[in-house]
């Protein structure tokens, strides 16, 4: 059962236009096809740094915050003016006063009354009284409180309050599931999905990204945000040194969520290639040229509870891949794990040596069940049972 004909206010932890699309983008663009959606952009959870990316983002927010909601991709997007200082009591009081007024005004201009409040952050609790929502959905898709620069104490306190009052809670990993079930009986396990139809096109004949195509084989791909808070940089560097004849293309923006990311150790290696951002729709051409994928994530901080989106992206593209042993991936079909560079190199040797066209198609077919459309069906069913 799909959501249909409803008014929805979605509160996000990112802006709508980002280099790397998130669950929020993928789900809401599909929800907006049959519902009226007001998307409230990031409330600035992480304390900003005086680095180029953050300064430019704050300047853009100041300009956008003075405008009415804009129409993008079939929904309305509001960029609220908030103070990104959630550890400061005065700033929290100011946001709690201003944000409800801005969102309520935008919702009423769209003709919304008692909308469904669907939030990816617990700070949306300040909107409950202003919107009087028909239902409250909290989608806990990451351990944001463990992210560097976020005030963990105020985030955890807000999360406990908001999760308890939600009508439905979604949790994207086993660790988050356990924590949410301690707060609410109505929790749906919702590991991250993929646009499986898009990534399956990597199996079709077609062009290969030119930068990938120029690299010697075998090519072991990482596709995603290149951030020191996510990637185990020393492990990846050791892996590249252990296999000097392999190419390691890293496709994604550097430091998108961590402006002070230092990838100097990777830039020094001749077989590691930082290729930068690619538009989302171009990623099948990137994966079409890869021999295998890797998820060299750290096991501490926020990564200890993450279920990477790229799991089902790689699988839908047919790629064999090896990941560090993230707790959320334990027992997931198609995931091969290795804890160190030596183990990862050996596992990649095995995966690439035994890979076939038939195995790639089998992986892709299994991944098809883990699409965003399938997730929305689950959410619609869960809401209908309330």
């Amino acid at each position: 059962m799909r959501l249909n004909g409803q008014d929805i206010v979605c509160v996000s932890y990112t802006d709508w236009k980002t280099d790397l699309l998130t669950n929020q983008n993928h789900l809401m663009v599909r929800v907006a096809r049959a519902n009226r959606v007001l998307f409230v952009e990031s409330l600035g959870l992480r304390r900003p740094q005086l680095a180029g990316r953050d300064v430019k983002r704050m300047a853009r927010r100041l300009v956008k915050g003075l405008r009415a909601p804009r129409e993008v991709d079939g929904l309305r997007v509001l960029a609220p003016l908030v103070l990104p200082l959630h550890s400061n009591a005065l700033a929290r009081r100011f946001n709690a006063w201003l944000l409800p007024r801005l969102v309520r005004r935008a919702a009423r201009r769209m003709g919304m009354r008692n909308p469904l409040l669907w939030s990816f952050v617990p700070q949306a609790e300040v909107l409950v009284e202003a919107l009087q929502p028909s239902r409250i959905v909290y989608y806990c898709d990451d351990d944001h409180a463990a992210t560097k620069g976020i005030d963990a104490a105020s985030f955890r306190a807000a999360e406990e309050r908001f999760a308890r009052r939600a009508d439905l809670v979604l949790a994207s990993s086993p660790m988050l599931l356990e924590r949410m079930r301690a707060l609410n009986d109505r929790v749906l396990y919702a590991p991250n999905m993929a646009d499986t139809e898009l990534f399956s096109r990597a199996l079709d004949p077609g062009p290969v990204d030119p930068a990938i195509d120029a690299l010697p084989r075998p090519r072991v791909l990482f596709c995603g945000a290149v951030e020191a808070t996510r990637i185990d940089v020393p492990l990846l560097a050791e892996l590249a040194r252990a296999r000097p004849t392999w190419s390691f293309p890293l496709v994604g923006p550097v430091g998108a969520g961590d402006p002070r990311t230092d990838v100097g150790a990777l830039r020094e290696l001749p077989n590691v290639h930082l290729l930068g951002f690619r538009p989302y729709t171009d990623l099948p051409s990137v994966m079409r040229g890869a021999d295998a994928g890797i998820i060299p994530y750290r096991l501490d901080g926020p990564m200890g509870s993450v279920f990477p989106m790229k799991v089902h992206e790689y699988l839908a593209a047919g790629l064999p891949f090896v990941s560090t042993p993230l707790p959320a991936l334990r027992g997931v079909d198609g995931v091969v794990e290795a804890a160190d560079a030596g183990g990862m190199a050996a596992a990649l040797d095995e995966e690439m040596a035994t890979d076939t066209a038939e195995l790639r198609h089998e992986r892709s077919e299994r991944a098809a069940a883990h699409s965003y459309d399938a997730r929305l069906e689950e959410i619609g069913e869960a809401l209908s049972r309330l």
Side-chain angles (χ1 to χ4, degrees), residues 202-225:
L203 295 171
D204 299 334
V208 173
D209 180 276
I212 298 287
D213 204 26
L215 299 177
R217 305 193 89 130
R219 304 168 188 144
V220 178
L221 171 74
F222 173 79
C223 197

Side-chain angles (χ1 to χ4, degrees), residues 137-172:
V137 175
Y138 176 41
Y139 202 140
C140 182
D141 73 341
D142 215 336
D143 187 13
H144 296 291
T147 301
K148 184 179 179 181
I150 288 182
D151 180 59
S154 64
F155 190 98
R156 290 268 193 250
E159 184 173 66
E160 182 169 344
R161 294 189 299 267
F162 192 63
R164 288 187 186 281
R165 73 192 305 177
D167 297 287
L168 177 65
V169 177
L170 310 174
S172 66

Side-chain angles (χ1 to χ4, degrees), residues 192-194 196 307-317 332 367 370:
N192 285 337
M193 301 280 99
T196 54
F307 189 110
M309 292 173 63
K310 57 188 57 60
V311 166
H312 291 120
E313 293 173 350
Y314 284 160
L315 291 174
V332 175
H370 302 280

Side-chain angles (χ1 to χ4, degrees), residues 58-77:
M58 287 186 287
R60 288 196 302 268
R61 171 54 64 88
L62 180 61
V63 172
K64 290 192 295 183
L66 300 174
R67 299 173 180 167
R70 61 196 191 277
E71 187 168 352
V72 187
D73 299 326
L75 41 75
R76 293 273 180 176
V77 177

Side-chain angles (χ1 to χ4, degrees), residues 19-292:
D19 286 344
L20 294 174
L21 300 181
T22 67
N23 272 325
Q24 303 161 112
N25 302 89
H26 293 295
L27 290 170
M28 286 302 129
V29 77
R30 289 165 172 78
V31 168
R33 294 168 186 166
N35 303 272
R36 190 161 46 176
V37 176
L38 173 63
F39 185 89
V40 181
E41 290 188 311
S42 170
L43 303 184
L45 301 180
R46 177 175 60 80
R47 179 183 288 273
Q49 301 177 21
L50 295 179
R53 188 185 295 270
D54 275 8
V55 170
K56 290 177 183 177
R57 184 168 176 266
M58 287 186 287
R60 288 196 302 268
R61 171 54 64 88
L62 180 61
V63 172
K64 290 192 295 183
L66 300 174
R67 299 173 180 167
R70 61 196 191 277
E71 187 168 352
V72 187
D73 299 326
L75 41 75
R76 293 273 180 176
V77 177
L78 174 69
L81 284 172
V82 293
L83 297 177
L85 303 170
H86 297 281
S87 60
N88 183 286
L90 184 60
R92 289 200 302 271
R93 286 197 295 271
F94 175 78
N95 291 338
W97 173 83
L98 180 61
L99 184 64
R101 286 162 173 78
L102 295 174
V103 175
R104 180 172 56 193
R105 182 176 65 180
R108 287 184 173 175
R109 284 180 173 176
M110 293 176 65
M112 291 184 174
R113 294 292 184 272
N114 308 113
L116 186 155
L117 176 58
W118 179 328
S119 185
F120 290 83
V121 291
Q123 285 72 19
E125 63 178 342
V126 301
L127 300 177
V128 174
E129 184 177 346
L131 294 177
Q132 294 293 304
S134 59
R135 291 283 190 274
I136 298 174
V137 175
Y138 176 41
Y139 202 140
C140 182
D141 73 341
D142 215 336
D143 187 13
H144 296 291
T147 301
K148 184 179 179 181
I150 288 182
D151 180 59
S154 64
F155 190 98
R156 290 268 193 250
E159 184 173 66
E160 182 169 344
R161 294 189 299 267
F162 192 63
R164 288 187 186 281
R165 73 192 305 177
D167 297 287
L168 177 65
V169 177
L170 310 174
S172 66
S173 74
M175 190 181 95
L176 298 177
L177 179 67
E178 181 179 359
R179 196 166 82 219
M180 291 300 105
R181 280 182 171 164
L183 303 174
N184 196 312
D185 294 331
R186 300 173 299 278
V187 183
L188 175 67
Y189 181 46
N192 285 337
M193 301 280 99
D195 187 340
T196 54
E197 191 279 329
L198 172 70
F199 283 92
S200 69
R201 296 176 195 168
L203 295 171
D204 299 334
V208 173
D209 180 276
I212 298 287
D213 204 26
L215 299 177
R217 305 193 89 130
R219 304 168 188 144
V220 178
L221 171 74
F222 173 79
C223 197
V226 182
E227 299 173 10
T229 54
R230 291 178 175 268
I231 291 178
D232 188 334
V233 173
L235 180 148
L236 183 53
E238 186 179 350
L239 173 62
R241 286 193 292 267
R243 293 293 185 271
T245 61
W246 294 4
S247 296
F248 292 89
L250 311 185
V251 176
V254 175
D258 182 9
R260 299 194 186 279
T261 287
D262 181 4
V263 291
L266 300 178
R267 292 190 190 279
E268 293 173 355
L269 298 169
N271 59 334
V272 176
H273 308 272
L274 292 154
L275 300 183
F277 167 76
R278 295 292 189 277
Y280 189 74
T281 53
D282 290 353
L283 294 181
S285 70
V286 169
M287 296 193 181
R288 188 177 288 127
D291 296 291

